[in-house]
Amino acid sequence: MTRGILIAGTEAALSAAIAGEAAKRVESFAAAFIPNRIPASGGGGVTDTAKALIPLMWNPGSPISSRSLTLAAENRLERIHEAILVCVPPSLRRKPEELVSSDIDGMVNDYIKGWFFLIKELTALFKNRNAGTLVLVLSEIAGKEKDATVDLMGPATAASFRALAQGLLAASIGEPYEVLAFSSAETGEEKAFASFIFKTMEENNRRNAGKWHKFGRLGIFGR
């Protein structure tokens, strides 16, 4: 049986780099990406260079869709061994009174509710099977530019994902599956970060599970 890899998360350069690393290791992997709904969020999209990619649909705000995504990935891959969730927070620099209701609603669905729904399905699957690896990847928010309008959305979604990941790391103690968390604040280092993620996953060192791994130009730091 081949190694089953599911990647889900933000459509961004980091997700593309992680997909590229997966393509080096398996003949096929499944992925479902959240499109950039906010024009100001920026970031590169997932390029269609990996022939191994099996694209799947996911509506993060729907618990039914999260369950359907998990089942579809299982059907296409035969089994999910590793699920990698990638959060690249959207950026929206607007004054509070200029926020658009649809942007707020979309942010909550895609970057808060969606993670909870999908994690619920994946951890239940891994626990029932007594095996599996859940990997949470966060692109940290860079400091705001001087005199720039404050980004109200990006830091809020990053903080939510970080808190969820921290809780999952603690909750995974004693569980039959592993949880690993990674973060990086480096821009332009997506490929190196993605390579580090997979190298850490593949070390088969249980000491790597249950904690954060922070990537940076000056070194790699566990926390």
Side-chain angles (χ1 to χ4, degrees):
M1 181 182 294
T2 187
R3 175 182 177 186
I5 301 175
L6 169 65
I7 303 171
T10 315
E11 184 180 39
L14 177 56
S15 299
I18 291 173
E21 288 295 323
K24 295 177 183 178
R25 292 163 168 79
V26 294
E27 292 184 1
S28 62
F29 66 94
F33 297 110
I34 307 168
N36 288 322
R37 306 180 193 277
I38 302 173
S41 62
V46 177
T47 57
D48 187 20
T49 58
K51 294 181 180 179
L53 172 63
I54 300 173
L56 299 176
M57 299 297 294
W58 179 37
N59 175 12
S62 166
I64 295 175
S65 181
S66 292
R67 180 166 179 75
S68 296
L69 170 60
T70 304
L71 292 174
E74 282 271 288
N75 289 335
R76 298 297 299 273
L77 299 172
E78 296 186 18
R79 182 168 178 169
I80 301 173
H81 295 88
E82 299 158 354
I84 306 173
L85 309 189
V86 188
C87 179
V88 181
S91 175
L92 187 60
R93 297 186 182 276
R94 292 179 186 168
K95 295 180 179 180
E97 66 273 16
E98 295 174 346
L99 290 173
V100 179
S101 297
S102 60
D103 288 342
I104 298 172
D105 191 52
M107 180 272 288
V108 172
N109 283 332
D110 291 351
Y111 294 94
I112 297 180
K113 289 170 62 176
W115 302 124
F116 281 91
F117 291 147
L118 186 54
I119 285 169
K120 174 182 180 296
E121 298 297 333
L122 291 169
T123 53
L125 177 68
F126 290 159
K127 186 163 187 174
N128 183 61
R129 186 174 290 154
N130 289 315
T133 301
L134 178 64
V135 180
L136 301 125
V137 181
L138 173 63
S139 177
E140 299 277 9
I141 300 295
K144 81 179 187 69
E145 299 176 4
K146 185 178 180 180
D147 299 327
T149 302
V150 174
D151 177 9
L152 295 176
M153 284 196 172
T157 55
S160 175
F161 187 85
R162 188 183 299 109
L164 173 58
Q166 191 64 47
L168 287 167
L169 290 172
S172 67
I173 298 175
E175 296 291 351
Y177 56 85
E178 294 184 340
V179 177
L180 292 83
F182 297 85
S183 65
S184 174
E186 303 292 345
T187 58
E189 297 290 329
E190 290 84 4
K191 290 184 178 180
F193 184 27
S195 176
F196 167 66
I197 291 169
F198 273 88
K199 286 174 65 177
T200 304
M201 290 166 55
E202 293 164 349
E203 286 177 354
N204 292 322
N205 186 344
R206 292 195 64 84
R207 288 182 298 177
N208 289 330
K211 67 179 183 179
W212 281 96
H213 302 271
K214 188 171 183 179
F215 175 85
R217 284 195 186 96
L218 299 180
I220 310 330
F221 310 93
R223 67 178 182 182

